[in-house]
Every structure is written in C-alpha cells, then in structure tokens.
Amino acid sequence: IKGPNYRKFLISPLDWGLGHATRIIPIIRYLKQLECQIWIAGSGATEKVLKESFPDIPFLKLDGYGVKYPASKRLFGWKIISQLPGIMSAVKAEHRWLQENQEIYQWDVVISDNRYGLFHEQLSSVIITHQVNIKTGMGGWVNKIVKRINRHYLQKFDQCWIPDQRENINLAGELSHGSIPANAVY
C-alpha cells in the first residue's frame, strides 16, 4: 500500500498475545516518519503496550475475540473449534465497528493484524497473518473446513501480508506456505 494520497491509517492488532502488537510497532514507526495520521484500535495487553509505546496516537477501543485456551495441549483444537461461533460473531461485530467508524474518521487504509472483520469496500485494507494454512491438530476434513473459512476472509482484503520468508528456511513452516491467497505478499 503506497501512495501520496494515503495519509490516514487505522492500525489494529488482535489481542491474542503480544506478538500481534510488537510486529505492528515497526509499521507504526514507519508511518509516523512519513507524517501520516494514525489511529490505533484494540484492547487487552496489546492496548497497554501500544498506548505506552505511542502515547501521542489516538486509541480507539475495539474488543478482541475473547478466546479461551485449554489447560491441555491435547484439547487445543477442539477448544478453538468450539469457540468458532463466538469468533465469527466477533468478526462480524468488528466489521460493523469499522463501517460505523469509517463514516466518522474517513481513513484511507486499515492495517489489521489477524482481525478478520477489518476490511472495507471504500478503503484499502491489509491483513497481517502467518496463518494462511491453519492446522487444527485434528487433520483431514476439519483442517479443510477451517482453511476454507480462513481463505474466505483473507480474500476480502486488498492484501494479505505474511510476516515470513518465501524461501524454504522460514519461521512458520506450513502455516505460511503452500497454498497461499492470491492477494498474499511475503
């Protein structure tokens, strides 16, 4: 996403861990160097880190997906699958949130880190994710269904930025390689 007309950015990482917040920090710093107007939206631990890192940037409250993790790794896939209806509801809510707030703020670009509802027809939208080929741990048809849902959402964005290397020596292995969306950029 480049161009002199892109001056107003919404940046929004998901609150599933500090990795989402920390990998967006260099992007915010770069946009600040370009003297772009920036808003950050989020909640939880990412909110705390980003408010401390960028106290001069306006922060908008946007709830996360409320995912709960199991105590046992063995149950991880089932626990996440059981929460899919709630996750899908949260994705729809954040999409509505963006529709409503776009009327107020008139952003040019939204850059979301793993927030699947932050796409908009009237502005350039980017999603950052290394999970283009999600592995549930249950294999077979479950992986295929989750991959299809994931791909459906990734393709709603103008670009899908994969924070990994295209080469065989990479960080996320199969999660970020193999079959990738047409809008993907490493």
Side-chain angles (χ1 to χ4, degrees):
I1 303 292
K2 296 180 182 176
N5 296 330
Y6 294 141
R7 306 307 300 165
K8 296 173 74 173
F9 287 78
L10 171 65
I11 310 285
S12 184
L14 191 57
D15 63 348
W16 277 16
L18 294 179
H20 298 287
T22 56
R23 72 181 177 194
I24 213 130
I25 287 174
I27 295 169
I28 295 170
R29 286 185 180 144
Y30 176 73
L31 293 172
K32 282 184 70 149
Q33 287 177 350
L34 296 177
E35 299 180 0
C36 295
Q37 289 181 279
I38 304 166
W39 288 258
I40 301 172
S43 61
T46 58
E47 177 180 3
K48 182 178 180 188
V49 167
L50 293 173
K51 277 185 172 181
E52 287 175 5
S53 299
F54 304 103
D56 58 324
I57 295 178
F59 201 94
L60 305 171
K61 187 73 168 173
L62 179 57
D63 290 332
Y65 294 177
V67 172
K68 306 224 180 339
Y69 297 102
S72 166
K73 281 186 177 180
R74 199 171 43 91
L75 299 175
F76 183 81
W78 287 112
K79 182 71 171 178
I80 298 299
I81 294 291
S82 71
Q83 296 177 78
L84 273 179
I87 293 169
M88 303 290 276
S89 178
V91 167
K92 288 179 184 174
E94 74 187 6
H95 185 68
R96 280 191 306 274
W97 179 93
L98 179 60
Q99 300 288 335
E100 292 165 4
N101 282 281
Q102 175 62 8
E103 289 181 24
I104 299 166
Y105 296 101
Q106 297 294 303
W107 295 297
D108 299 311
V109 180
V110 57
I111 300 175
S112 117
D113 191 315
N114 271 60
R115 285 188 171 271
Y116 287 79
L118 293 184
F119 58 89
H120 195 290
E121 303 76 28
Q122 296 174 349
L123 65 146
S124 294
S125 59
V126 174
I127 186 165
I128 301 171
T129 185
H130 66 280
Q131 297 182 358
V132 294
N133 293 302
I134 296 174
K135 305 291 181 190
T136 64
M138 292 180 269
W141 63 271
V142 176
N143 280 357
K144 288 180 183 176
I145 290 170
V146 171
K147 182 179 178 178
R148 186 172 292 137
I149 293 168
N150 188 45
R151 191 62 51 93
H152 168 77
Y153 280 100
L154 293 178
Q155 291 174 340
K156 292 181 178 280
F157 291 83
D158 296 308
Q159 291 185 355
C160 173
W161 292 352
I162 303 172
D164 204 346
Q165 310 240 4
R166 182 181 300 276
E167 294 79 28
N168 288 340
I169 300 174
N170 57 67
L171 300 170
E174 292 179 18
L175 286 175
S176 64
H177 292 80
S179 172
I180 62 170
N183 61 348
V185 178
Y186 285 98

